[in-house]
Amino acid sequence: MKIRVEKAEQLKVKPDEDKLGFGKHFTDYMFVMDYDEGQGWHDARIVPFGPISMSPASMVLHYAQETFEGLKAYRTPDDRILLFRPEMNAKRMRNSNKRLCMAEIPEEMFVEAVETLVAHEKEWIPHLEGTSLYIRPFIFATEVAVGVHPAISYKFIIILSPVGNYYPEGVNPIKIYVEDEYVRATKGGTGFTKCGGNYASSIAAQEKAGKLGYTQVLWLDGVERKYVEEVGTMNVMFKIDNEIYTAPIDGTVLPGVTRDSCIALLKEWGYKVHEEHFTIDFLMKAAREGKLEEAFGTGTAAVISPVGELNYKGEIAMINDFKTGELTQKLYDTLTDIQWGKAEDKFNWTYEVKR
Ligand code: COI
């Protein structure tokens, strides 16, 4: 793909690496490419990060044809730059776009765009332990029209943000509120996609949980409201009686890259992993009987995030005395060592950025 570069007049001052937070700072440049029916994807460019102008009648503003992805670039101790399984994000984005009847980006094109922008912005990849460059590709409908139909024009943009931890708790346990009023997804809907609409409809529950002192919500299935699905910004796994339980990928749960990687590691370590439906009652009973040994979320932003407490209809399940469990820590260490190029990458998950 031919990618032209438009020079910025001035570069930004980079933020302190120990005060990055998450998603607050953006690099000097972004990648932009347009799609028009009959022409396909065209005009790939790296341009200064900045406002985009579009018509108030752009279809995304009315009917929310928008999908996004999240992945990271890591700086290794010997100064190489690694991505983690970017082809999985590319594939998931195609699946999201298919569901929303949006133009799809070929996987190689997605990876090439990410790699080229990251290489261009390599000075922005932070050095401090636990920091990385968050990559946010997104696609939205730009056709100027009022009326519901698949748009005939789209924009694909990638922005980059140097980040630290997603949660203010860092890698310490978080408290989770089990949501039994609002629902996130039902079969046949868009639960398996990464579309902005899924997150928009989750905010009310997130706000409610926040007011009660909880960092995130645990979603139950949208029909019977009893099967455990995922947490607001991550998939979730439970260690019960030395076996692992997580919801299956069958339409309502996001097929997480970190989720998939954790399952591979856990199986390699000999754990039985149940990717199956299980109820919140099963989970709370296990907690009451002292069998709920550990719980953790998995996600690109969240990495591996220990869960220390669940609140379901006022009943509190305290997990591992609100301390990070041994297995949770081992997964965090193993995964992040692979991602930062500090451990052998047996599964061939890392992708070195050419620079
Ligand atoms: C990610 O983990 O990359 C996400 O997109 C989750 C969240 C920031 C919405």
Side-chain angles (χ1 to χ4, degrees):
M1 163 172 52
K2 192 173 159 328
I3 304 174
R4 72 181 162 85
V5 179
E6 205 176 284
K7 277 245 169 261
E9 276 175 21
Q10 216 182 343
L11 299 184
K12 300 175 188 170
V13 177
K14 297 191 177 52
D16 279 351
E17 290 194 1
D18 54 354
K19 294 194 194 74
L20 290 174
F22 196 96
K24 294 188 172 62
H25 308 278
F26 297 94
T27 71
D28 293 305
Y29 289 88
M30 59 186 185
F31 176 92
V32 183
M33 183 163 69
D34 297 303
Y35 176 93
D36 288 284
E37 200 177 61
Q39 205 180 350
W41 289 105
H42 63 91
D43 200 13
R45 56 211 186 263
I46 290 177
V47 297
F49 179 96
I52 45 175
S53 109
M54 53 194 228
S55 164
S58 295
M59 282 179 60
V60 65
L61 301 177
H62 306 270
Y63 314 112
Q65 265 188 309
E66 188 270 353
T67 59
F68 70 97
E69 271 302 322
L71 64 164
K72 285 173 172 170
Y74 308 85
R75 190 184 289 284
T76 70
D78 56 350
D79 213 27
R80 290 176 303 128
I81 301 167
L82 301 180
L83 303 175
F84 187 73
R85 311 184 75 182
E87 68 290 347
M88 286 197 74
N89 297 91
K91 195 188 254 167
R92 187 170 64 187
M93 189 164 227
R94 282 191 75 164
N95 287 337
S96 296
N97 286 22
K98 209 173 270 163
R99 174 63 182 83
L100 271 80
C101 290
M102 294 168 59
E104 292 168 38
I105 301 224
E107 282 147 43
E108 321 73 63
M109 203 183 244
F110 175 100
V111 175
E112 187 184 344
V114 166
E115 179 173 17
T116 311
L117 183 66
V118 167
H120 190 274
E121 297 293 78
K122 57 182 181 290
E123 301 307 328
W124 280 89
I125 305 172
H127 303 73
L128 217 60
E129 180 151 352
T131 62
S132 56
L133 187 69
Y134 188 75
I135 305 165
R136 169 50 57 83
F138 56 108
I139 303 183
F140 55 92
T142 52
E143 181 186 343
V144 175
V146 168
V148 181
H149 58 260
I152 55 167
S153 57
Y154 296 88
K155 252 189 201 332
F156 174 48
I157 300 185
I158 309 173
I159 55 174
L160 305 175
S161 171
V163 296
N165 290 318
Y166 185 74
Y167 297 122
E169 289 92 335
V171 277
N172 297 311
I174 59 167
K175 290 166 67 174
I176 288 191
Y177 185 81
V178 184
E179 177 55 48
D180 61 348
E181 177 192 358
Y182 298 110
V183 299
R184 176 184 175 275
T186 50
K187 276 219 171 125
T190 57
F192 66 95
T193 72
K194 216 160 165 60
C195 68
N198 285 348
Y199 294 83
S201 65
S202 77
I203 293 173
Q206 172 76 37
E207 280 297 284
K208 178 174 132 191
K211 286 198 183 106
L212 295 167
Y214 289 80
T215 308
Q216 283 284 312
V217 296
L218 173 62
W219 294 108
L220 301 178
D221 76 279
V223 178
E224 298 186 60
R225 303 199 193 173
K226 65 179 194 183
Y227 295 104
V228 170
E229 298 223 312
E230 66 180 69
V231 168
T233 53
M234 53 193 190
N235 297 111
V236 65
M237 301 190 183
F238 300 90
K239 178 165 171 267
I240 299 172
D241 235 356
N242 214 31
E243 296 187 357
I244 312 298
Y245 292 79
T246 193
I249 301 297
D250 66 356
T252 55
V253 166
L254 191 80
V257 177
T258 314
R259 174 192 179 279
D260 186 79
S261 311
C262 284
I263 290 173
L265 287 171
L266 288 162
K267 285 186 176 166
E268 206 214 359
W269 297 338
Y271 282 96
K272 185 162 177 44
V273 181
H274 301 264
E275 283 184 77
E276 58 197 47
H277 296 290
F278 56 96
T279 63
I280 184 67
D281 288 338
F282 166 76
L283 204 57
M284 297 305 282
K285 181 167 177 282
R288 260 178 254 125
E289 291 171 352
K291 291 181 184 161
L292 176 53
E293 295 151 353
E294 297 186 34
F296 52 90
T298 65
T300 298
V303 193
I304 304 291
S305 189
V307 175
E309 181 185 319
L310 293 177
N311 177 333
Y312 177 53
K313 295 185 191 284
E315 182 183 349
I316 307 284
M318 186 71 83
I319 304 165
N320 197 37
D321 294 328
F322 210 77
K323 291 199 293 283
T324 302
E326 221 174 277
L327 181 64
T328 306
Q329 189 68 52
K330 184 176 171 187
L331 267 175
Y332 178 88
D333 293 340
T334 308
L335 188 75
T336 55
D337 278 356
I338 296 172
Q339 289 172 331
W340 269 274
K342 297 178 188 167
E344 191 200 345
D345 176 16
K346 269 194 219 163
F347 294 94
N348 225 357
W349 282 335
T350 56
Y351 176 104
E352 186 166 343
V353 171
K354 294 183 280 303
R355 38 204 301 206

